[in-house]
Structures are given as C-alpha cells and as structure tokens.
Amino acid sequence: MTKRHRTVATSAVVGLVVAGGHFIGAGSAHADDVKPSMPPGTEPSAAAPVAIDSNAPGLKIPQGGTLAPVKVLDIAEVVEDLGGEQRRQETNETVMMALQSEVLFPEDSAVFNAQAAARIQAIGNEINQSKATRIRVFGFTDDQGSYEHGKELSKQRADAVHAELSKTVTNPGVVFDVRGYSEDYPIADNSTEEGRKKNRRVEITFPRGAS
C-alpha cells in the first residue's frame, strides 16, 4: 500500500518583491555561506517557461519596490510505501529512489541482507528502460555516533548499491557518481527514531526516460 504526496512546487515563475531592502511575502533569507539544503548536483533543473518583464504594467509592485530574481521550481511528485521503506520522487527531469538502510543492510553494516539485491535489480531494470547514462548513488546516516563513522558507513553502503547496480545496468557508457554524506542533508527529524530511520537511507537518482 502506498501513500502519495505532491510537494509544493510549480512550473510557473516565482517572483519576490523587494521593497526597502526587505522581502515581502517571502520566507526567511539565509546567508550565502550557510550549508545548502541538498547535496551538490541535485538542485532543481527547471527553466523559466517565459521571460518576465519587471517593467510590465500588469505587475502590481509597491512604489519603490523591485522584482527579485526569478526562481523556477521543479514539479516534484513523491510516493512512498506505508512504512516509508521506499520513497520515489519524480521531477520533470529526474527519478530519485530512496531506500531506508534497514531494508538493505543489517544495523551498522554495509553487507546486503537477503532481500536487498532484488530491490536494487528492479531499480537497475528501470534505469535500463530510461537509457540513463548518469546515475547518482548517495548514502546517508542519522546523527547518532560520530560524523566520521557515519561518513565511512554511508559511503560503504553507497558503494555496495553501486556494485549491485553495475551488475544490472547494461549501458556501457553509464557514469556513476557515488558519495557518502553521513548525517548531512536529513529529510526528517533526528530527535525521533522514526525520523532517524528515514534519514538512514541510500538514494539512487537518474534522468527520466522519454514518455
């Protein structure tokens, strides 16, 4: 049984009005040196569908205000099974499969359990169908234990998934990007076991095939 979530995203242009140095109707800003909210290389890839003229008479901008830089968000649809063991996220450009570590590995281990290979092979078959040539395999842990141990374990788990995918993905020109991120980039609250379980995961991302 699955449950379906559609994220708050849009293919339209999102514009913010800047007046007197403050954002109007915008969320809190962050400094440029703040750690990004997603791993490098996974940023939204949508392009602006239309050009925006900041001087267009139809734009209702307060006197003295200016239009902030245009930001376009990918449309993202997320589906996960009832237990959250597997999560699928699709945008206009990519498919991302996130598997909780518990469904692939014993605790604190990077050795596959009996069911893991079949799950990875199924994803590999979909990658073959999409004719993907670039695949990201990223491992993550929760915030328990040292950061260094999490970094090593998350990379070892990503390596294990990469090795299994390599047995199934048949495109000779495929390139893998394999990384371990330890506790960085959590997707849930690490203060609860339910949240930590979601954060212990391996993500496999590849371009969508032509529909």
Side-chain angles (χ1 to χ4, degrees):
M1 185 175 184
T2 62
K3 54 184 179 181
R4 184 176 298 267
H5 309 278
R6 187 175 295 274
T7 62
V8 181
T10 176
S11 59
V13 176
V14 178
L16 300 177
V17 176
V18 181
H22 298 284
F23 288 102
I24 298 177
S28 59
H30 63 274
D32 291 340
D33 58 353
V34 173
K35 190 174 187 64
S37 60
M38 61 185 70
T42 63
E43 299 85 355
S45 56
V50 293
I52 298 296
D53 180 6
S54 60
N55 296 315
L59 289 176
K60 298 184 183 299
I61 301 177
Q63 186 174 5
T66 59
L67 194 66
V70 172
K71 181 178 181 181
V72 181
L73 305 178
D74 277 332
I75 295 175
E77 184 174 30
V78 178
V79 179
E80 65 180 20
D81 60 25
L82 195 57
E85 294 179 348
Q86 184 165 310
R87 180 172 179 264
R88 179 187 183 95
Q89 177 176 308
E90 292 192 46
T91 71
N92 297 334
E93 303 292 335
T94 63
V95 176
M96 188 274 286
M97 303 291 292
L99 298 173
Q100 287 185 7
S101 295
E102 278 80 351
V103 306
L104 301 176
F105 308 99
E107 183 178 356
D108 201 30
S109 171
V111 178
F112 277 145
N113 61 33
Q115 294 77 36
R119 285 180 178 266
I120 303 303
Q121 288 165 9
I123 296 173
N125 289 331
E126 183 173 351
I127 291 172
N128 285 336
Q129 293 172 3
S130 73
K131 297 181 172 58
T133 58
R134 184 171 293 274
I135 304 166
R136 295 193 298 263
V137 184
F138 292 170
F140 305 85
T141 62
D142 58 27
D143 65 351
Q144 305 299 289
S146 72
Y147 182 87
E148 292 73 18
H149 177 68
K151 187 88 169 177
E152 180 179 5
L153 180 61
S154 59
K155 179 58 162 61
Q156 289 175 343
R157 287 175 167 175
D159 285 338
V161 171
H162 166 222
E164 189 62 40
L165 275 175
S166 297
K167 299 176 184 178
T168 304
V169 176
T170 56
N171 187 340
V174 70
V175 175
F176 286 87
D177 181 9
V178 184
R179 310 185 196 183
Y181 283 105
S182 189
E183 65 195 57
D184 294 336
Y185 311 109
I187 59 173
D189 186 356
N190 270 313
S191 68
T192 69
E193 176 53 30
E194 181 181 2
R196 292 191 294 271
K197 189 174 181 180
K198 289 186 176 183
N199 290 333
R200 300 190 294 265
R201 68 198 190 278
V202 177
E203 295 180 355
I204 304 166
T205 307
F206 54 95
R208 288 184 62 172
S211 56

